Amino acid sequence: MKWQGVYEKAYKWAKEEINDSPGIALGFHSVVDGLINVKENEFEKIADLRSYVQDEPPISIKTPEDFLKGFAYSFSKGKALQIMIESENVYKWIKENFGFGQIRLGGTSANMAVALSKFGFKDVLIYIYPLSKDLVELFPESDNLKTIDSDGNIVHPKHAWNEEGIKAVHWIFEFKKGQKISGIECPRDNRFIASWNPVNSKLKISESFKINFPKYIDRYRKFIIAGFHIMREVYPDGETVDKRFDELVSFVKEIKEKGISIHAEMASIRYPKVRKNIVERIFPLIDSSGMNEVELSWIAKDLGFYSEELERSNPIKVYEFLKFLLKETGIKRIHYHTLGYYIVVSNDENKEKELMKLSTAALAAAYRAKFAVSPNIDDLESVMKIPISDTGKKAAETLKSTDAIVLPTKVVEKPKLTVGLGDTISSIAFCL
Ligand code: AMP
């Protein structure tokens, strides 16, 4: 009863709050997604999946075997995983075997921009690169969704294109709990993402954006950075990820000086040096970050704190490590999400407000999981009756005596879609 009351209060609170929403800008990762609902026989035709199950997934996909190993890892554990394809031959091999699937808009920044504009935030600006017609036309019609075109004008994305063609595709293989491939049973609804993105893997900030965004900067009070997972440690031209981060760090410093509040979204970042740059160079500068249990456990591994308990979402271990990260890096807030609950550790004393933000985000995630589309704020009423997770309630009880803010969430029994849920959760909670 107590938690249901929190959700009902949050809904009313968010409806008021959204009227004063600040301008929000997002970069640097939008892409064409190819959504494939996994069919058992498609994989069984290609290989016996049992031969590809291993404890660790590959770092990148250079061969069809790497692709199968990544898929087998994600499917057999029911864990979300994204890996970059680094060979054009594998890109062609996947295209031949699976096609593009259902083409839709994807990429963390685009998912978030759509979620926020649909939700009702008044002014959402998304950086898009490349400004390709095939990509920008996937953005929904919406007066509150804008980008900056190459001439420096703020326009709806579909008016901003300056080239054509699909330059990158991220295949999303969605699988279901209970599905069986080669005798392996999947334990949880989730997805494996294989990404081909040679064009944006440097997470380049275009000259046009660098010059023009500062002109409009006073309109935007929040900036969400995402897309680190498509970066490499060393690029084919020899450039290193440390060098790439020089550009990102200087951008972050520039907007921070203007008083913009900054959130960085983690993701399935396979390369340790990319994670290291975020934690050591970005975290000390920013206000907030969002991540799930896998992403947190990888950071823990990098810092020598790995424990299986973290990956299994043991609330005490998670809390302790989040506190450690806050203290070590200077970041002001971390929003952790896992199936059944969220934990926030932060320097902000206003716990009640944080709980309102989290509850609103959880309702939005439940709506997206149930209906496979992002909700408008008024839609949240329709998911209000979904039961609240018992695992989540236990986590809240376990951490009751700490300063963690814990929200047990509503969990949709048979979700229609799991991709983009983390993006919805983190962005709505940060922007409210
Ligand atoms: P990510 O893997 O980062 O996209 O985050 C997925 C998050 O979505 C999980 O951590 C959960 O908090 C949430 N989630 C996943 N499945 C469901 C579901 N069936 N119902 C509600 N929330 C879900």
Side-chain angles (χ1 to χ4, degrees):
M1 182 58 213
K2 178 201 164 209
W3 292 112
Q4 186 60 25
V6 171
Y7 277 100
E8 278 159 22
K9 192 169 165 195
Y11 175 53
K12 287 198 194 104
W13 171 83
K15 280 181 75 112
E16 288 287 314
E17 198 71 8
I18 200 86
N19 294 323
D20 296 326
S21 61
I24 299 153
L26 306 101
F28 296 96
H29 171 45
S30 304
V31 76
V32 172
D33 272 351
L35 181 69
I36 294 181
N37 288 308
V38 167
K39 294 192 191 71
E40 291 80 344
N41 59 358
E42 269 176 354
F43 274 86
E44 284 170 350
K45 241 177 11 204
I46 297 171
D48 182 341
L49 211 58
R50 280 171 303 183
S51 345
Y52 296 93
V53 178
Q54 50 184 41
D55 286 343
E56 283 291 318
I59 291 278
S60 65
I61 299 175
K62 295 194 170 76
T63 62
E65 288 71 33
D66 289 336
F67 166 79
L68 291 165
K69 283 178 192 164
F71 178 83
Y73 175 91
S74 185
F75 181 86
S76 64
K77 292 185 185 280
K79 281 196 182 296
L81 177 68
Q82 176 160 10
I83 315 185
M84 300 307 291
I85 302 164
E86 289 186 358
S87 141
E88 190 162 1
N89 285 338
V90 182
Y91 158 72
K92 288 182 183 154
W93 180 86
I94 300 177
K95 200 163 85 174
E96 266 160 34
N97 280 283
F98 297 98
F100 277 142
Q102 182 196 341
I103 292 286
R104 40 189 292 156
L105 181 65
T108 319
S109 307
N111 285 340
M112 289 179 159
V114 172
L116 294 169
S117 58
K118 179 85 190 290
F119 196 74
F121 287 91
K122 302 268 174 325
D123 188 3
V124 178
L125 182 90
I126 170 121
Y127 167 83
I128 305 169
Y129 181 85
L131 281 166
S132 141
K133 188 165 188 261
D134 300 64
L135 175 57
V136 297
E137 287 189 338
L138 296 174
F139 280 86
E141 291 288 345
S142 185
D143 290 344
N144 53 352
L145 184 58
K146 305 280 186 208
T147 192
I148 300 184
D149 70 12
S150 38
D151 297 325
N153 302 310
I154 291 195
V155 295
H156 184 274
K158 74 174 187 199
H159 300 302
W161 62 276
N162 57 14
E163 55 182 304
E164 293 187 56
I166 293 185
K167 313 284 174 186
V169 63
H170 289 202
W171 274 282
I172 302 182
F173 293 88
E174 284 259 349
F175 43 75
K176 301 269 168 234
K177 181 177 172 180
Q179 267 193 315
K180 272 193 192 146
I181 301 182
S182 311
I184 302 168
E185 184 165 335
C186 172
R188 174 180 156 185
D189 291 37
N190 227 320
R191 78 277 169 180
F192 170 64
I193 308 178
S195 303
W196 172 244
N197 201 336
V199 66
N200 196 27
S201 66
K202 286 194 171 180
L203 230 58
K204 197 169 129 68
I205 308 173
S206 70
E207 283 311 308
S208 153
F209 191 79
K210 270 192 224 157
I211 295 165
N212 292 304
F213 181 64
K215 292 186 199 158
Y216 304 109
I217 207 153
D218 292 339
R219 262 173 81 165
Y220 301 99
R221 294 294 84 213
K222 303 215 173 198
F223 200 107
I224 302 183
I225 309 178
F228 306 105
H229 56 292
I230 68 175
M231 299 181 87
R232 294 187 178 193
E233 287 192 336
V234 183
Y235 291 86
D237 63 5
E239 191 172 15
T240 63
V241 70
D242 294 346
K243 191 91 186 29
R244 294 305 314 144
F245 265 86
D246 291 347
E247 184 179 57
L248 288 168
V249 165
S250 79
F251 178 80
V252 166
K253 283 185 176 156
E254 191 184 327
I255 61 172
K256 186 183 151 92
E257 270 172 24
K258 302 279 182 191
I260 293 186
S261 176
I262 306 163
H263 173 98
E265 185 65 7
M266 296 302 285
S268 193
I269 300 167
R270 294 297 293 131
Y271 284 117
K273 278 192 188 159
V274 178
R275 299 195 293 261
K276 192 172 149 64
N277 269 286
I278 299 170
V279 173
E280 290 181 4
R281 300 178 67 192
I282 300 285
F283 274 16
L285 301 172
I286 63 174
D287 301 272
S288 171
S289 179
M291 62 192 74
N292 66 21
E293 68 280 9
V294 177
E295 292 150 17
L296 184 75
S297 74
W298 287 353
I299 297 178
K301 199 178 274 182
D302 296 338
L303 300 179
F305 287 93
Y306 178 74
S307 104
E308 249 182 41
E309 292 297 304
L310 265 182
E311 212 171 315
R312 286 205 210 104
S313 307
N314 173 325
I316 295 177
K317 294 281 176 227
V318 169
Y319 167 70
E320 285 171 356
F321 186 61
L322 290 174
K323 286 292 280 186
F324 170 82
L325 270 181
L326 220 62
K327 186 158 167 277
E328 280 297 299
T329 66
I331 191 168
K332 299 190 184 74
R333 169 185 182 268
I334 304 179
H335 175 179
Y336 166 90
H337 56 84
T338 191
L339 190 64
Y341 60 96
Y342 309 152
I343 300 178
V344 165
V345 295
S346 101
N347 293 336
D348 192 342
E349 297 288 304
N350 196 339
K351 284 192 168 199
E352 173 68 17
K353 189 167 174 194
E354 184 68 70
L355 205 55
M356 295 292 101
K357 294 175 182 203
L358 296 184
S359 313
T360 311
L363 290 170
Y367 187 94
R368 185 174 164 97
K370 189 164 176 181
F371 299 109
V373 286
S374 292
N376 179 283
I377 191 161
D378 295 319
D379 294 328
L380 301 188
E381 208 148 15
S382 66
V383 288
M384 199 58 95
K385 292 209 170 75
I386 293 173
I388 297 165
S389 155
D390 286 333
T391 314
K393 287 181 191 161
K394 270 188 218 137
E397 199 51 37
T398 308
L399 294 177
K400 205 166 71 182
S401 61
T402 69
D403 62 350
I405 300 144
V406 188
L407 177 80
T409 59
K410 291 174 177 281
V411 173
V412 174
E413 260 307 304
K414 290 203 167 83
K416 267 207 188 139
L417 188 73
T418 67
V419 71
L421 288 181
D423 302 340
T424 299
I425 294 164
S426 294
S427 61
I428 290 182
F430 173 67
C431 292
L432 273 169

